[in-house]
Amino acid sequence: METIRIFCPATIANISCGFDVLGVALDAVGDEMVIRKTVAKGIFITKLEGQELPMETSKNVAGVAGLAFLDASDYEGGFEIEIYKKIKAGSGIGSSAASSTGAVWGMNELLGRPFSTLELIRFAMEGERLASGVAHADNVAPALFGGFTLVRSYDPLDIVPIPSPEELFATVIHPQIEVKTSDSRKILKTKITLKDGIKQWGNLGGLVAGLYTKDYDLIGRSLEDHIVEPIRSILIPGFDQVKSSAIASGALGCGISGSGPSIFALSKGESKAKSVGKAMKKVYKNIGIDYEIHVSKINIEGVRRIN
Ligand code: HSE
């Protein structure tokens, strides 16, 4: 195989109680990429449509992740990459992770899968380091594995895929402003109180247990964030109103998607997820903020081939 065309899913990181450790892949939104083997060694970004982003290899997340892959590989050639962005940069649904993940997954397919998924995550994390200053894995892991994933440990890297209850749907609304992950990380406190820690790891355990046992009420009760949301929500216009409208219209829970400004809600069933979306939209219509909205089932496959 010389060329591959792929779909790289958007992802929701953190999922309220799992800052930097939990993430989930979406189905309704994602980028497309074409990756082609070249005789010349190196990573060459030959096309980038949909967003204004750097095409220079060392400044592009797909380029940097690709270089990490190439450095670890004994392959003598290189790769050309075309990127068709559908996920807006700075939207909070894993735009950089989709590009980094797509690059390394596609290259691995073209070379006959020399690397494991865990190794690919390490390469893709280099793209995240470029984008946000920190090599977090909570977007790239679900983009690669699909479904929900838990980063049990960063050192050594230990990723646990978690089953997704079939009726779980996500609604994501993106108020049309850009928040850079690097900026929204700078405002966070580096210390937490024991009291907040207890609440947070109780919810994290509850969410994981709820996903395993398909206990939708437990999932809903666990979607709380006592550490990051109170700080970051200040950057998101109308956050409290959107959240309370989503809950009032039947969402299991609602919070900031990744580093924002997108806001996600999880619901049982697609029709509920759509009515939650209507309620969220209404808030932004009333306060005059443009938005984009996605209602999506959970993508249990992750990045995939589409040609
Ligand atoms: N866990 C990361 C953060 C995700 O919240 O900063 C960024 O998409």
Side-chain angles (χ1 to χ4, degrees):
M1 192 164 49
E2 294 300 309
T3 303
I4 190 168
R5 187 175 193 102
I6 57 181
F7 171 80
C8 321
T11 45
I12 299 170
N14 303 335
I15 319 179
S16 296
C17 52
F19 179 70
D20 273 1
V21 299
L22 269 187
V24 63
L26 301 176
D27 215 35
V29 55
D31 293 343
E32 285 183 23
M33 293 171 85
V34 175
I35 301 169
R36 200 170 289 117
K37 281 188 194 164
T38 59
V39 176
K41 198 165 176 83
I43 303 290
F44 311 96
I45 306 196
T46 52
K47 212 181 246 188
L48 206 167
E49 288 181 4
Q51 290 285 285
E52 290 286 320
L53 290 165
M55 286 179 73
E56 205 178 309
T57 303
S58 63
K59 293 186 178 155
N60 181 290
V61 295
V64 168
L67 286 175
F69 177 104
L70 215 50
D71 279 352
S73 159
D74 51 16
Y75 169 57
E76 295 290 321
F79 298 94
E80 260 177 31
I81 304 178
E82 295 173 11
I83 308 173
Y84 301 92
K85 294 293 298 174
K86 308 266 168 66
I87 311 172
K88 290 200 172 127
S91 60
I93 50 169
S95 176
S96 54
S99 300
S100 310
T101 302
V104 299
W105 186 84
M107 291 173 192
N108 202 46
E109 291 296 297
L110 290 177
L111 297 188
R113 302 187 186 163
F115 294 111
S116 68
T117 305
L118 200 63
E119 286 169 311
L120 296 182
I121 288 174
R122 279 208 187 85
F123 305 142
M125 284 166 72
E126 292 308 313
E128 295 294 70
R129 193 192 302 282
L130 176 71
S132 71
V134 178
H136 54 88
D138 50 345
N139 290 104
V140 294
L144 271 159
F145 277 106
F148 285 83
T149 54
L150 170 74
V151 185
R152 206 276 312 158
S153 155
Y154 274 91
D155 189 16
L157 190 62
D158 186 1
I159 311 278
V160 185
I162 300 167
S164 314
E166 274 160 32
E167 289 179 84
L168 203 58
F169 277 76
T171 310
V172 180
I173 192 156
H174 173 208
Q176 300 291 284
I177 54 167
E178 186 181 339
V179 174
K180 288 207 167 76
T181 299
S182 49
D183 292 337
S184 67
R185 292 186 80 91
K186 274 185 211 141
I187 61 170
L188 298 178
K189 292 182 190 152
T190 53
K191 293 203 168 99
I192 63 166
T193 63
L194 185 58
K195 201 172 146 206
D196 282 343
I198 291 167
K199 288 191 221 163
Q200 202 84 354
W201 54 67
N203 282 317
L204 181 56
L207 180 52
V208 172
L211 291 168
Y212 267 96
T213 57
K214 304 183 176 51
D215 182 338
Y216 291 90
D217 290 336
L218 177 57
I219 292 169
R221 292 201 300 282
S222 307
L223 289 171
E224 283 189 356
D225 174 5
H226 297 280
I227 294 171
V228 174
E229 184 177 295
I231 300 170
R232 280 186 173 168
S233 56
I234 294 159
L235 302 175
I236 305 173
F239 175 80
D240 291 338
Q241 282 167 272
V242 172
K243 180 169 174 169
S244 49
S245 302
I247 306 281
S249 60
L252 299 167
C254 177
I256 303 172
S257 177
S259 55
S262 287
I263 303 170
F264 80 95
L266 294 182
S267 301
K268 186 177 180 189
E270 189 174 16
S271 65
K272 181 67 77 187
K274 283 184 178 159
S275 48
V276 165
K278 274 191 196 144
M280 293 166 116
K281 282 199 265 196
K282 204 167 156 200
V283 174
Y284 281 141
K285 271 191 191 141
N286 286 345
I287 52 179
I289 291 175
D290 289 339
Y291 58 83
E292 204 171 84
I293 193 152
H294 310 283
V295 174
S296 179
K297 68 174 162 58
I298 306 306
N299 172 351
I300 53 167
E301 197 183 351
V303 54
R304 64 174 184 263
R305 190 175 174 182
I306 51 173
N307 52 343

